Amino acid sequence: MTLPDTAATPAGDDRTFQVDLRGLVDLLSHHLYSSPRVYLRELLQNAVDALTARHALEPGASTDAFGIRLYADGSVVRVEDDGVGLTEADVHTFLATIGRSSKRAEKIAEQRGDFIGQFGIGLLSCFLVADEIHVLSRSARTPDAPAVEWRGRGDGSYTVRTLPASARPRPGTTVTLTPRADAGEWTRPLQVQALARHFGSLLRHPVTFTDTTGGTPAPVNPDPAPWAVTYPTPGARSRALAAYGEDVLGFKPLDTIELDLPAVGLKGIACVLPETVPAGRRHGHRVHVKGMLLSEQAEEILPEWAFFVRCVVDAESLRPTASRESLYEDDTLAAVRDALAERLRDWIARAAASDPDLLARFLQVHHLAVKSLAVHDDEILRMLLPWLPFETTDGHATLDEFARTHRTVLVTSSVEEFRQVAAIASAAGLGVVNGGYTYDRELVHRLPEIRPEASVADLDPATLTAHLDPVDRETELAAAAYLAQARDALAVFDCDVALRAFQPASAPALLVDSREARHERTRSQLAREQEGGVWGDILGALRQEAPRAQLILNQLNPLVRTAVTITEPELARTSAEALYGQAAMLSRRPLRPAESSLINRSFLDLLAHALRKDS
């Protein structure tokens, strides 16, 4: 590109943009459209819009009076419609001007919703597969106007000429493409027929396809959308919708939810997935606009929490983007998303009220999705919280079952904390829920809103310790020397040591520690290391009394009863380190490097001691 010579050009002269059509087609193929296959969708879309305009011109005509006919034989692709057609002036105005749409130019902006295309660039997509587009058209608005032929070429040139009426006896338009050699993948007869069915299976106008065999034209859209059909019974309707969902989406739905939003002319189905999906994984939905398939990956039609369904919908008032492969984010789409979310909530409510078996199957598969919804939706919370499964010290159970058994429900702040205390808490009769998973801790704390008689509290290490049986005074005095050696050995980990009696007796030790305590100790350590500096002052100001971890030895365990009688200082220290390491591993939290080193060292020291003893 070169800059104009400003010295030779009078200031203020208007200039016209020059468009390199080949460069524009390359831009469309690489950045606007996802694949060259959209050329057929654009041709079908133009034909449908022409038929819509023809019906507006002749409102008394039946839907089947006018149709669309496709033909492909490997050397040409032809799309013929009985639509409103074009005059010679229309051809110059609309076919030769990029970005100008006849739907806007005719001053019918208030009727835009009747048309699929809005941007005036669809015909350019044909240059993705052909170097020349041939259009033959005759206007229904001006019956005595001659037929018009337009030939557009990929280099940006075009020709227009009028023909006798016999060249196109009936009003309408025929578009013919001569595919390039490299476009065979998209223009072979079987592929053209498959693309027509893919994009146009729900079109309301009759569409047929003919190939080189010259036989009876095959219908592209022989059956109406299943939600538009009247069935003898509700059960028959439900089965038909489920069968359609399975055929289109490729899985047998757990259940099928019929969707109907008359305000925007939306109808369709939501199919509940039969398998668990990770939280946040959003599935694409099949969205048709006025029967034409817009996208198979339209995530924006439903809220993020609704990842347990996939939808097939057909809408009248949703606005496509310029590529017509996704939806334009506007107030209408936001309202549709909210309304569809309400339909999903209604389905969950109906299942909870009238079909407990379906609800149980649904929650077994999609409890995480319901939990994410319940966090933000009080109605769903009240309805389903008691029935949602949680990991507890009684195994996987619903909160309703668990609260009946345990007057006070304790909840951990992390998975590792739950695994650390589960066996001991269960043996002590404490009811603990694993609150470490997404949403779980927040939801458990809201149980009293639904069950006022239930009490919920965070599990505090002191609560668990208080439920462990103290040992008698004589036993504790006899173990005092060993406990002192153990405390000294574990001081580097800010860990105290105590002797208690608890079940199960097979557990030699319990390491009681919390994530918050570890964070506080880490911060205190950093403050000590940075003492005197700016960061040291900041961390020191934040510092609280650093909480200590606690290694609780089980007097009921035979190994511990033997260990507390050790009098040799080095062996006492080594055994205490080994008990700490084993308890740390059982907690299933990540080990610090110092802890990993301690476990290896204590194991080797004990092994060396055993070998010396044997020798």
Side-chain angles (χ1 to χ4, degrees), residues 254-299:
L254 187 67
D255 197 25
T256 306
I257 308 163
E258 188 163 0
L259 306 174
D260 187 4
L261 303 178
V264 292
L266 183 146
K267 291 180 177 291
I269 56 173
C271 295
V272 181
L273 290 159
E275 298 178 349
T276 304
V277 292
R281 176 186 291 179
R282 301 186 67 183
H283 288 281
H285 307 285
R286 288 178 64 95
V287 175
H288 299 251
V289 175
K290 303 172 187 67
M292 182 72 71
L293 179 63
L294 180 77
S295 174
E296 294 178 278
Q297 300 296 326
E299 297 180 352

mmCIF file of all heavy atoms in Angstrom, residues 254-299:
data_model
loop_
_atom_site.group_PDB
_atom_site.id
_atom_site.type_symbol
_atom_site.label_atom_id
_atom_site.label_comp_id
_atom_site.label_asym_id
_atom_site.label_seq_id
_atom_site.Cartn_x
_atom_site.Cartn_y
_atom_site.Cartn_z
ATOM 1 N N LEU A 254 -30.543 -39.267 29.953
ATOM 2 C CA LEU A 254 -31.123 -39.694 31.229
ATOM 3 C C LEU A 254 -32.574 -39.251 31.314
ATOM 4 O O LEU A 254 -33.432 -39.953 31.849
ATOM 5 C CB LEU A 254 -30.312 -39.091 32.383
ATOM 6 C CG LEU A 254 -30.650 -39.549 33.791
ATOM 7 C CD1 LEU A 254 -30.286 -41.022 33.974
ATOM 8 C CD2 LEU A 254 -29.888 -38.706 34.817
ATOM 9 N N ASP A 255 -32.861 -38.086 30.778
ATOM 10 C CA ASP A 255 -34.219 -37.576 30.647
ATOM 11 C C ASP A 255 -34.194 -36.462 29.616
ATOM 12 O O ASP A 255 -33.129 -35.924 29.287
ATOM 13 C CB ASP A 255 -34.761 -37.069 31.987
ATOM 14 C CG ASP A 255 -36.288 -36.922 31.980
ATOM 15 O OD1 ASP A 255 -36.935 -37.635 31.178
ATOM 16 O OD2 ASP A 255 -36.828 -36.114 32.754
ATOM 17 N N THR A 256 -35.373 -36.118 29.105
ATOM 18 C CA THR A 256 -35.482 -35.081 28.086
ATOM 19 C C THR A 256 -36.420 -33.994 28.583
ATOM 20 O O THR A 256 -37.530 -34.282 29.036
ATOM 21 C CB THR A 256 -36.017 -35.652 26.756
ATOM 22 O OG1 THR A 256 -35.191 -36.752 26.359
ATOM 23 C CG2 THR A 256 -35.988 -34.601 25.668
ATOM 24 N N ILE A 257 -35.968 -32.751 28.510
ATOM 25 C CA ILE A 257 -36.737 -31.607 28.989
ATOM 26 C C ILE A 257 -37.186 -30.801 27.779
ATOM 27 O O ILE A 257 -36.362 -30.333 26.997
ATOM 28 C CB ILE A 257 -35.872 -30.726 29.908
ATOM 29 C CG1 ILE A 257 -35.219 -31.570 31.009
ATOM 30 C CG2 ILE A 257 -36.689 -29.593 30.494
ATOM 31 C CD1 ILE A 257 -34.059 -30.881 31.694
ATOM 32 N N GLU A 258 -38.487 -30.639 27.618
ATOM 33 C CA GLU A 258 -38.989 -29.869 26.489
ATOM 34 C C GLU A 258 -38.871 -28.380 26.800
ATOM 35 O O GLU A 258 -39.199 -27.925 27.898
ATOM 36 C CB GLU A 258 -40.433 -30.231 26.174
ATOM 37 C CG GLU A 258 -40.922 -29.603 24.889
ATOM 38 C CD GLU A 258 -42.186 -30.251 24.341
ATOM 39 O OE1 GLU A 258 -42.693 -31.205 24.976
ATOM 40 O OE2 GLU A 258 -42.659 -29.808 23.276
ATOM 41 N N LEU A 259 -38.388 -27.626 25.821
ATOM 42 C CA LEU A 259 -38.180 -26.190 25.979
ATOM 43 C C LEU A 259 -39.136 -25.429 25.069
ATOM 44 O O LEU A 259 -39.275 -25.776 23.887
ATOM 45 C CB LEU A 259 -36.734 -25.815 25.635
ATOM 46 C CG LEU A 259 -35.642 -26.579 26.387
ATOM 47 C CD1 LEU A 259 -34.272 -26.209 25.844
ATOM 48 C CD2 LEU A 259 -35.722 -26.303 27.885
ATOM 49 N N ASP A 260 -39.779 -24.403 25.602
ATOM 50 C CA ASP A 260 -40.736 -23.630 24.818
ATOM 51 C C ASP A 260 -40.783 -22.207 25.364
ATOM 52 O O ASP A 260 -41.223 -21.986 26.494
ATOM 53 C CB ASP A 260 -42.128 -24.269 24.894
ATOM 54 C CG ASP A 260 -43.130 -23.602 23.952
ATOM 55 O OD1 ASP A 260 -42.711 -22.702 23.192
ATOM 56 O OD2 ASP A 260 -44.315 -23.969 23.977
ATOM 57 N N LEU A 261 -40.281 -21.261 24.577
ATOM 58 C CA LEU A 261 -40.299 -19.850 24.959
ATOM 59 C C LEU A 261 -41.045 -19.079 23.870
ATOM 60 O O LEU A 261 -40.445 -18.590 22.909
ATOM 61 C CB LEU A 261 -38.882 -19.294 25.116
ATOM 62 C CG LEU A 261 -37.951 -19.993 26.108
ATOM 63 C CD1 LEU A 261 -36.583 -19.335 26.097
ATOM 64 C CD2 LEU A 261 -38.552 -19.962 27.507
ATOM 65 N N PRO A 262 -42.366 -18.962 23.978
ATOM 66 C CA PRO A 262 -43.145 -18.323 22.903
ATOM 67 C C PRO A 262 -42.724 -16.890 22.607
ATOM 68 O O PRO A 262 -42.840 -16.434 21.470
ATOM 69 C CB PRO A 262 -44.579 -18.382 23.449
ATOM 70 C CG PRO A 262 -44.581 -19.485 24.462
ATOM 71 C CD PRO A 262 -43.214 -19.471 25.068
ATOM 72 N N ALA A 263 -42.240 -16.170 23.609
ATOM 73 C CA ALA A 263 -41.903 -14.757 23.405
ATOM 74 C C ALA A 263 -40.832 -14.567 22.345
ATOM 75 O O ALA A 263 -40.803 -13.537 21.661
ATOM 76 C CB ALA A 263 -41.454 -14.130 24.727
ATOM 77 N N VAL A 264 -39.937 -15.527 22.199
ATOM 78 C CA VAL A 264 -38.875 -15.411 21.195
ATOM 79 C C VAL A 264 -38.995 -16.503 20.137
ATOM 80 O O VAL A 264 -38.082 -16.698 19.343
ATOM 81 C CB VAL A 264 -37.475 -15.469 21.853
ATOM 82 C CG1 VAL A 264 -37.233 -14.238 22.703
ATOM 83 C CG2 VAL A 264 -37.316 -16.737 22.689
ATOM 84 N N GLY A 265 -40.110 -17.228 20.170
ATOM 85 C CA GLY A 265 -40.317 -18.273 19.178
ATOM 86 C C GLY A 265 -39.326 -19.406 19.284
ATOM 87 O O GLY A 265 -38.919 -19.983 18.264
ATOM 88 N N LEU A 266 -38.925 -19.756 20.499
ATOM 89 C CA LEU A 266 -37.941 -20.823 20.693
ATOM 90 C C LEU A 266 -38.629 -22.101 21.125
ATOM 91 O O LEU A 266 -39.450 -22.107 22.042
ATOM 92 C CB LEU A 266 -36.898 -20.406 21.736
ATOM 93 C CG LEU A 266 -35.750 -21.384 21.999
ATOM 94 C CD1 LEU A 266 -34.464 -20.629 22.311
ATOM 95 C CD2 LEU A 266 -36.072 -22.361 23.131
ATOM 96 N N LYS A 267 -38.278 -23.187 20.466
ATOM 97 C CA LYS A 267 -38.733 -24.520 20.840
ATOM 98 C C LYS A 267 -37.545 -25.470 20.735
ATOM 99 O O LYS A 267 -36.623 -25.230 19.957
ATOM 100 C CB LYS A 267 -39.870 -25.011 19.933
ATOM 101 C CG LYS A 267 -41.183 -24.267 20.096
ATOM 102 C CD LYS A 267 -42.244 -24.827 19.172
ATOM 103 C CE LYS A 267 -43.590 -24.135 19.368
ATOM 104 N NZ LYS A 267 -44.177 -24.462 20.671
ATOM 105 N N GLY A 268 -37.600 -26.548 21.506
ATOM 106 C CA GLY A 268 -36.527 -27.526 21.433
ATOM 107 C C GLY A 268 -36.521 -28.435 22.636
ATOM 108 O O GLY A 268 -37.513 -28.554 23.357
ATOM 109 N N ILE A 269 -35.380 -29.074 22.844
ATOM 110 C CA ILE A 269 -35.242 -30.016 23.946
ATOM 111 C C ILE A 269 -33.882 -29.838 24.606
ATOM 112 O O ILE A 269 -32.919 -29.409 23.966
ATOM 113 C CB ILE A 269 -35.394 -31.486 23.486
ATOM 114 C CG1 ILE A 269 -34.385 -31.811 22.371
ATOM 115 C CG2 ILE A 269 -36.812 -31.786 23.064
ATOM 116 C CD1 ILE A 269 -34.359 -33.271 21.972
ATOM 117 N N ALA A 270 -33.827 -30.163 25.890
ATOM 118 C CA ALA A 270 -32.565 -30.281 26.625
ATOM 119 C C ALA A 270 -32.447 -31.727 27.066
ATOM 120 O O ALA A 270 -33.355 -32.255 27.712
ATOM 121 C CB ALA A 270 -32.545 -29.345 27.828
ATOM 122 N N CYS A 271 -31.350 -32.378 26.704
ATOM 123 C CA CYS A 271 -31.133 -33.783 27.030
ATOM 124 C C CYS A 271 -30.147 -33.873 28.190
ATOM 125 O O CYS A 271 -29.027 -33.351 28.107
ATOM 126 C CB CYS A 271 -30.589 -34.538 25.810
ATOM 127 S SG CYS A 271 -31.758 -34.619 24.442
ATOM 128 N N VAL A 272 -30.570 -34.542 29.266
ATOM 129 C CA VAL A 272 -29.718 -34.686 30.446
ATOM 130 C C VAL A 272 -28.677 -35.758 30.160
ATOM 131 O O VAL A 272 -29.007 -36.891 29.795
ATOM 132 C CB VAL A 272 -30.558 -35.071 31.679
ATOM 133 C CG1 VAL A 272 -29.658 -35.184 32.916
ATOM 134 C CG2 VAL A 272 -31.659 -34.040 31.917
ATOM 135 N N LEU A 273 -27.420 -35.397 30.319
ATOM 136 C CA LEU A 273 -26.321 -36.322 30.029
ATOM 137 C C LEU A 273 -26.354 -37.513 30.991
ATOM 138 O O LEU A 273 -26.608 -37.346 32.192
ATOM 139 C CB LEU A 273 -24.981 -35.607 30.161
ATOM 140 C CG LEU A 273 -24.691 -34.571 29.067
ATOM 141 C CD1 LEU A 273 -23.640 -33.582 29.523
ATOM 142 C CD2 LEU A 273 -24.255 -35.253 27.793
ATOM 143 N N PRO A 274 -26.098 -38.718 30.491
ATOM 144 C CA PRO A 274 -26.165 -39.913 31.343
ATOM 145 C C PRO A 274 -24.896 -40.173 32.138
ATOM 146 O O PRO A 274 -24.848 -41.104 32.927
ATOM 147 C CB PRO A 274 -26.411 -41.034 30.326
ATOM 148 C CG PRO A 274 -25.711 -40.568 29.087
ATOM 149 C CD PRO A 274 -25.857 -39.066 29.069
ATOM 150 N N GLU A 275 -23.853 -39.379 31.916
ATOM 151 C CA GLU A 275 -22.576 -39.586 32.594
ATOM 152 C C GLU A 275 -22.105 -38.293 33.229
ATOM 153 O O GLU A 275 -22.446 -37.190 32.785
ATOM 154 C CB GLU A 275 -21.511 -40.090 31.610
ATOM 155 C CG GLU A 275 -21.845 -41.437 30.976
ATOM 156 C CD GLU A 275 -20.796 -41.870 29.968
ATOM 157 O OE1 GLU A 275 -19.937 -41.029 29.629
ATOM 158 O OE2 GLU A 275 -20.833 -43.025 29.534
ATOM 159 N N THR A 276 -21.284 -38.439 34.272
ATOM 160 C CA THR A 276 -20.740 -37.284 34.970
ATOM 161 C C THR A 276 -19.784 -36.524 34.063
ATOM 162 O O THR A 276 -19.019 -37.118 33.309
ATOM 163 C CB THR A 276 -19.991 -37.736 36.234
ATOM 164 O OG1 THR A 276 -20.880 -38.500 37.048
ATOM 165 C CG2 THR A 276 -19.473 -36.551 37.016
ATOM 166 N N VAL A 277 -19.850 -35.202 34.141
ATOM 167 C CA VAL A 277 -18.907 -34.360 33.404
ATOM 168 C C VAL A 277 -18.209 -33.460 34.416
ATOM 169 O O VAL A 277 -18.787 -33.080 35.431
ATOM 170 C CB VAL A 277 -19.615 -33.499 32.339
ATOM 171 C CG1 VAL A 277 -20.158 -34.362 31.241
ATOM 172 C CG2 VAL A 277 -20.740 -32.673 32.953
ATOM 173 N N PRO A 278 -16.943 -33.118 34.175
ATOM 174 C CA PRO A 278 -16.226 -32.250 35.112
ATOM 175 C C PRO A 278 -16.914 -30.901 35.253
ATOM 176 O O PRO A 278 -17.468 -30.365 34.290
ATOM 177 C CB PRO A 278 -14.844 -32.106 34.470
ATOM 178 C CG PRO A 278 -14.717 -33.271 33.551
ATOM 179 C CD PRO A 278 -16.103 -33.564 33.059
ATOM 180 N N ALA A 279 -16.869 -30.358 36.456
ATOM 181 C CA ALA A 279 -17.460 -29.045 36.695
ATOM 182 C C ALA A 279 -16.809 -28.012 35.786
ATOM 183 O O ALA A 279 -15.601 -27.966 35.643
ATOM 184 C CB ALA A 279 -17.271 -28.645 38.154
ATOM 185 N N GLY A 280 -17.651 -27.188 35.182
ATOM 186 C CA GLY A 280 -17.120 -26.123 34.347
ATOM 187 C C GLY A 280 -16.931 -26.502 32.900
ATOM 188 O O GLY A 280 -16.721 -25.634 32.071
ATOM 189 N N ARG A 281 -16.977 -27.799 32.576
ATOM 190 C CA ARG A 281 -16.829 -28.171 31.163
ATOM 191 C C ARG A 281 -18.142 -27.884 30.463
ATOM 192 O O ARG A 281 -19.147 -28.549 30.680
ATOM 193 C CB ARG A 281 -16.471 -29.636 31.019
ATOM 194 C CG ARG A 281 -16.402 -30.061 29.534
ATOM 195 C CD ARG A 281 -16.179 -31.539 29.343
ATOM 196 N NE ARG A 281 -14.848 -31.928 29.754
ATOM 197 C CZ ARG A 281 -14.415 -33.181 29.703
ATOM 198 N NH1 ARG A 281 -15.207 -34.136 29.288
ATOM 199 N NH2 ARG A 281 -13.182 -33.471 30.099
ATOM 200 N N ARG A 282 -18.126 -26.901 29.614
ATOM 201 C CA ARG A 282 -19.356 -26.491 28.938
ATOM 202 C C ARG A 282 -19.478 -27.198 27.595
ATOM 203 O O ARG A 282 -18.546 -27.211 26.803
ATOM 204 C CB ARG A 282 -19.374 -24.978 28.749
ATOM 205 C CG ARG A 282 -19.277 -24.210 30.057
ATOM 206 C CD ARG A 282 -19.435 -22.735 29.844
ATOM 207 N NE ARG A 282 -20.769 -22.397 29.396
ATOM 208 C CZ ARG A 282 -21.152 -21.165 29.072
ATOM 209 N NH1 ARG A 282 -20.278 -20.179 29.128
ATOM 210 N NH2 ARG A 282 -22.383 -20.922 28.683
ATOM 211 N N HIS A 283 -20.637 -27.779 27.364
ATOM 212 C CA HIS A 283 -20.889 -28.466 26.108
ATOM 213 C C HIS A 283 -21.533 -27.500 25.116
ATOM 214 O O HIS A 283 -22.295 -26.607 25.477
ATOM 215 C CB HIS A 283 -21.826 -29.654 26.331
ATOM 216 C CG HIS A 283 -21.181 -30.796 27.044
ATOM 217 N ND1 HIS A 283 -20.344 -31.693 26.426
ATOM 218 C CD2 HIS A 283 -21.242 -31.184 28.338
ATOM 219 C CE1 HIS A 283 -19.924 -32.589 27.296
ATOM 220 N NE2 HIS A 283 -20.450 -32.300 28.467
ATOM 221 N N GLY A 284 -21.220 -27.726 23.848
ATOM 222 C CA GLY A 284 -21.868 -26.946 22.815
ATOM 223 C C GLY A 284 -23.279 -27.441 22.571
ATOM 224 O O GLY A 284 -23.592 -28.615 22.761
ATOM 225 N N HIS A 285 -24.153 -26.537 22.173
ATOM 226 C CA HIS A 285 -25.547 -26.873 21.920
ATOM 227 C C HIS A 285 -25.873 -26.599 20.456
ATOM 228 O O HIS A 285 -25.307 -25.690 19.836
ATOM 229 C CB HIS A 285 -26.462 -26.055 22.834
ATOM 230 C CG HIS A 285 -26.093 -26.164 24.279
ATOM 231 N ND1 HIS A 285 -26.359 -27.283 25.030
ATOM 232 C CD2 HIS A 285 -25.440 -25.306 25.105
ATOM 233 C CE1 HIS A 285 -25.911 -27.099 26.257
ATOM 234 N NE2 HIS A 285 -25.340 -25.917 26.325
ATOM 235 N N ARG A 286 -26.789 -27.385 19.898
ATOM 236 C CA ARG A 286 -27.226 -27.202 18.503
ATOM 237 C C ARG A 286 -28.305 -26.138 18.475
ATOM 238 O O ARG A 286 -29.388 -26.319 19.028
ATOM 239 C CB ARG A 286 -27.761 -28.509 17.921
ATOM 240 C CG ARG A 286 -26.688 -29.550 17.634
ATOM 241 C CD ARG A 286 -27.317 -30.823 17.098
ATOM 242 N NE ARG A 286 -27.969 -30.621 15.812
ATOM 243 C CZ ARG A 286 -27.390 -30.863 14.631
ATOM 244 N NH1 ARG A 286 -26.151 -31.311 14.582
ATOM 245 N NH2 ARG A 286 -28.049 -30.675 13.519
ATOM 246 N N VAL A 287 -27.992 -25.035 17.816
ATOM 247 C CA VAL A 287 -28.939 -23.927 17.737
ATOM 248 C C VAL A 287 -29.310 -23.692 16.275
ATOM 249 O O VAL A 287 -28.436 -23.482 15.424
ATOM 250 C CB VAL A 287 -28.335 -22.641 18.344
ATOM 251 C CG1 VAL A 287 -29.284 -21.460 18.142
ATOM 252 C CG2 VAL A 287 -28.052 -22.847 19.820
ATOM 253 N N HIS A 288 -30.590 -23.764 16.000
ATOM 254 C CA HIS A 288 -31.133 -23.432 14.687
ATOM 255 C C HIS A 288 -31.814 -22.069 14.790
ATOM 256 O O HIS A 288 -32.422 -21.742 15.819
ATOM 257 C CB HIS A 288 -32.162 -24.466 14.226
ATOM 258 C CG HIS A 288 -31.611 -25.847 14.080
ATOM 259 N ND1 HIS A 288 -31.422 -26.458 12.852
ATOM 260 C CD2 HIS A 288 -31.227 -26.756 15.015
ATOM 261 C CE1 HIS A 288 -30.932 -27.682 13.048
ATOM 262 N NE2 HIS A 288 -30.813 -27.886 14.345
ATOM 263 N N VAL A 289 -31.704 -21.294 13.749
ATOM 264 C CA VAL A 289 -32.429 -20.027 13.666
ATOM 265 C C VAL A 289 -33.363 -20.110 12.468
ATOM 266 O O VAL A 289 -32.912 -20.260 11.334
ATOM 267 C CB VAL A 289 -31.465 -18.836 13.531
ATOM 268 C CG1 VAL A 289 -32.245 -17.547 13.326
ATOM 269 C CG2 VAL A 289 -30.595 -18.723 14.777
ATOM 270 N N LYS A 290 -34.666 -20.093 12.738
ATOM 271 C CA LYS A 290 -35.693 -20.236 11.702
ATOM 272 C C LYS A 290 -35.480 -21.511 10.892
ATOM 273 O O LYS A 290 -35.654 -21.544 9.678
ATOM 274 C CB LYS A 290 -35.717 -19.012 10.801
ATOM 275 C CG LYS A 290 -35.938 -17.715 11.568
ATOM 276 C CD LYS A 290 -35.769 -16.513 10.664
ATOM 277 C CE LYS A 290 -35.815 -15.249 11.494
ATOM 278 N NZ LYS A 290 -34.652 -15.122 12.393
ATOM 279 N N GLY A 291 -35.068 -22.562 11.586
ATOM 280 C CA GLY A 291 -34.884 -23.860 10.945
ATOM 281 C C GLY A 291 -33.483 -24.114 10.441
ATOM 282 O O GLY A 291 -33.082 -25.265 10.282
ATOM 283 N N MET A 292 -32.683 -23.086 10.174
ATOM 284 C CA MET A 292 -31.339 -23.257 9.650
ATOM 285 C C MET A 292 -30.361 -23.498 10.800
ATOM 286 O O MET A 292 -30.354 -22.756 11.773
ATOM 287 C CB MET A 292 -30.911 -22.021 8.858
ATOM 288 C CG MET A 292 -29.532 -22.140 8.224
ATOM 289 S SD MET A 292 -29.526 -23.283 6.822
ATOM 290 C CE MET A 292 -30.446 -22.301 5.631
ATOM 291 N N LEU A 293 -29.537 -24.536 10.678
ATOM 292 C CA LEU A 293 -28.552 -24.809 11.714
ATOM 293 C C LEU A 293 -27.528 -23.679 11.766
ATOM 294 O O LEU A 293 -26.840 -23.395 10.792
ATOM 295 C CB LEU A 293 -27.836 -26.130 11.447
ATOM 296 C CG LEU A 293 -26.752 -26.502 12.469
ATOM 297 C CD1 LEU A 293 -27.361 -26.709 13.848
ATOM 298 C CD2 LEU A 293 -26.008 -27.749 12.022
ATOM 299 N N LEU A 294 -27.436 -23.053 12.938
ATOM 300 C CA LEU A 294 -26.491 -21.966 13.133
ATOM 301 C C LEU A 294 -25.171 -22.491 13.679
ATOM 302 O O LEU A 294 -24.090 -22.166 13.187
ATOM 303 C CB LEU A 294 -27.081 -20.939 14.097
ATOM 304 C CG LEU A 294 -26.208 -19.731 14.410
ATOM 305 C CD1 LEU A 294 -26.246 -18.748 13.252
ATOM 306 C CD2 LEU A 294 -26.690 -19.048 15.690
ATOM 307 N N SER A 295 -25.246 -23.322 14.722
ATOM 308 C CA SER A 295 -24.028 -23.799 15.376
ATOM 309 C C SER A 295 -24.319 -25.086 16.125
ATOM 310 O O SER A 295 -25.411 -25.289 16.632
ATOM 311 C CB SER A 295 -23.493 -22.742 16.348
ATOM 312 O OG SER A 295 -22.398 -23.245 17.088
ATOM 313 N N GLU A 296 -23.295 -25.951 16.179
ATOM 314 C CA GLU A 296 -23.364 -27.137 17.021
ATOM 315 C C GLU A 296 -22.604 -26.936 18.320
ATOM 316 O O GLU A 296 -22.579 -27.818 19.170
ATOM 317 C CB GLU A 296 -22.748 -28.330 16.281
ATOM 318 C CG GLU A 296 -23.497 -28.765 15.054
ATOM 319 C CD GLU A 296 -22.806 -29.906 14.340
ATOM 320 O OE1 GLU A 296 -21.868 -29.638 13.574
ATOM 321 O OE2 GLU A 296 -23.204 -31.065 14.579
ATOM 322 N N GLN A 297 -21.972 -25.777 18.487
ATOM 323 C CA GLN A 297 -21.133 -25.500 19.654
ATOM 324 C C GLN A 297 -21.510 -24.184 20.313
ATOM 325 O O GLN A 297 -20.650 -23.443 20.775
ATOM 326 C CB GLN A 297 -19.655 -25.482 19.238
ATOM 327 C CG GLN A 297 -19.156 -26.775 18.633
ATOM 328 C CD GLN A 297 -19.204 -27.933 19.620
ATOM 329 O OE1 GLN A 297 -18.999 -27.746 20.815
ATOM 330 N NE2 GLN A 297 -19.489 -29.119 19.138
ATOM 331 N N ALA A 298 -22.786 -23.888 20.378
ATOM 332 C CA ALA A 298 -23.241 -22.628 20.967
ATOM 333 C C ALA A 298 -23.304 -22.763 22.483
ATOM 334 O O ALA A 298 -24.293 -23.218 23.045
ATOM 335 C CB ALA A 298 -24.606 -22.243 20.401
ATOM 336 N N GLU A 299 -22.227 -22.380 23.156
ATOM 337 C CA GLU A 299 -22.169 -22.482 24.617
ATOM 338 C C GLU A 299 -23.012 -21.409 25.291
ATOM 339 O O GLU A 299 -23.505 -21.605 26.404
ATOM 340 C CB GLU A 299 -20.723 -22.337 25.097
ATOM 341 C CG GLU A 299 -19.790 -23.433 24.615
ATOM 342 C CD GLU A 299 -18.376 -23.228 25.129
ATOM 343 O OE1 GLU A 299 -18.123 -22.150 25.725
ATOM 344 O OE2 GLU A 299 -17.549 -24.131 24.953
#
